[in-house]
Amino acid sequence: MKCIAIITARGGSKRIPRKNIKEFCGKPILAYSIEAALASGCFDTVMVSTDDEEIADIAKEYGAEVPFFRSEKTANDYATTADVLLEVFAEYEKRGEAFERACCIYPTAPFLTAQKLKEAMELLSVSEVESVLPVVRFSFPPQRSVVIRDGYLQPRWPECMPMRSQDLEPFYHDVGQFYCFDVNCFLEQKNLIMKKTVPFEMPESCVQDIDTPSDWQMAEMKYRLMQAEK
């Protein structure tokens, strides 16, 4: 069964210029995703989908393949991850290559490890699983959120305010690091969260959005702390 890791790394980034190859704790942040994918041993192919020559060169330097460049259509601000993946599979099909399983990995995922990828890919072998979504639990119960109406704070769900935290249903959100999936199911549904998606729960210490300069600083602090603890 052929498996592919697809790392999506376009050149354009508005809030953090050149984000996908910016140095993170000593090396381009893209390198962490490539190294985790290669070290996992799960994939026949580890490729980077990009529209950028410099990103392509760095990707190759760290061991990934860049067999073709992303089109202008999938390199703009409005293209979805699904759009990019559909183009990748179409390009491989033109070359006579097909894959049964895949993992889409974001280029800004320094907390990703080979072991996590192994465990997530193993979940795909479970009967009827179509995709695996890494999630993290909200640290504060969303059911206790408040909203501003007419200048005053009001509980969004008043009935939940007196309830104990442990009695409220846990809420989770996508960690935004990677997605493992059955390729045929993806080509049919064209969505990474499919009808039969199972969770891969991760601790909050291994999760950090990296969308702003302050996010970047927080991620480096967390990463250095993790390395020191090891």
Side-chain angles (χ1 to χ4, degrees), residues 131-135 174-175 178-180 192-193 197-201:
S131 66
V132 178
L133 178 68
V135 295
D174 178 0
V175 304
F178 66 96
Y179 308 88
C180 302
L192 288 168
I193 301 179
T197 296
V198 297
F200 183 83
E201 189 171 354

Side-chain angles (χ1 to χ4, degrees), residues 133-143 164-175 199-208 222:
L133 178 68
V135 295
V136 63
R137 183 172 177 169
F138 279 99
S139 57
F140 184 87
Q143 298 96 320
R164 300 185 307 166
S165 297
Q166 58 266 43
D167 294 332
L168 295 169
E169 180 183 10
F171 280 26
Y172 300 84
H173 66 85
D174 178 0
V175 304
F200 183 83
E201 189 171 354
M202 295 178 63
E204 193 173 359
S205 60
C206 296
V207 175
Q208 176 64 48
K222 289 173 72 171

Side-chain angles (χ1 to χ4, degrees), residues 18-207:
R18 308 299 289 164
K19 177 173 81 168
N20 291 332
I21 52 174
K22 180 179 170 67
E23 183 177 304
F24 183 95
C25 293
K27 58 188 172 185
I29 196 166
L30 170 64
Y32 293 90
S33 297
I34 295 172
E35 290 174 343
L38 292 171
S40 73
C42 295
F43 308 105
D44 300 284
T45 299
V46 175
M47 69 88 68
V48 170
S49 169
T50 187
D51 59 321
D52 188 282
E53 291 277 0
E54 185 181 10
I55 291 177
D57 289 341
I58 291 174
K60 293 173 185 176
E61 178 185 345
Y62 283 91
E65 299 178 17
V66 186
F68 45 81
F69 279 84
R70 192 184 297 191
S71 69
E72 184 177 343
K73 181 180 179 181
T74 58
N76 63 42
D77 292 337
Y78 303 100
T80 65
T81 299
D83 293 333
V84 174
L85 296 177
L86 289 168
E87 181 179 76
V88 167
F89 290 125
E91 287 295 329
Y92 272 111
E93 185 177 8
K94 292 177 185 176
R95 291 161 170 75
E97 290 190 71
F99 301 90
E100 286 75 40
R101 290 178 181 167
C103 183
C104 171
I105 303 174
Y106 285 158
T108 52
F111 300 101
L112 179 59
T113 64
Q115 184 60 36
K116 288 188 179 74
L117 287 175
K118 284 181 183 178
E119 293 172 6
M121 289 297 288
E122 285 173 2
L123 285 175
L124 280 179
S125 63
V126 177
S127 177
E128 296 189 355
V129 172
E130 297 176 341
S131 66
V132 178
L133 178 68
V135 295
V136 63
R137 183 172 177 169
F138 279 99
S139 57
F140 184 87
Q143 298 96 320
R144 287 186 175 175
S145 61
V146 295
V147 295
I148 301 174
R149 291 175 179 162
D150 299 323
Y152 297 101
L153 288 175
Q154 296 182 20
R156 177 62 182 83
W157 292 286
E159 68 277 13
C160 296
M161 299 305 281
M163 296 176 65
R164 300 185 307 166
S165 297
Q166 58 266 43
D167 294 332
L168 295 169
E169 180 183 10
F171 280 26
Y172 300 84
H173 66 85
D174 178 0
V175 304
Q177 292 183 7
F178 66 96
Y179 308 88
C180 302
F181 56 93
D182 177 278
V183 174
N184 286 332
C185 292
F186 170 74
L187 293 176
E188 178 184 339
Q189 299 180 44
K190 297 178 174 56
N191 199 320
L192 288 168
I193 301 179
M194 304 186 204
K195 296 174 182 175
K196 296 179 179 178
T197 296
V198 297
F200 183 83
E201 189 171 354
M202 295 178 63
E204 193 173 359
S205 60
C206 296
V207 175

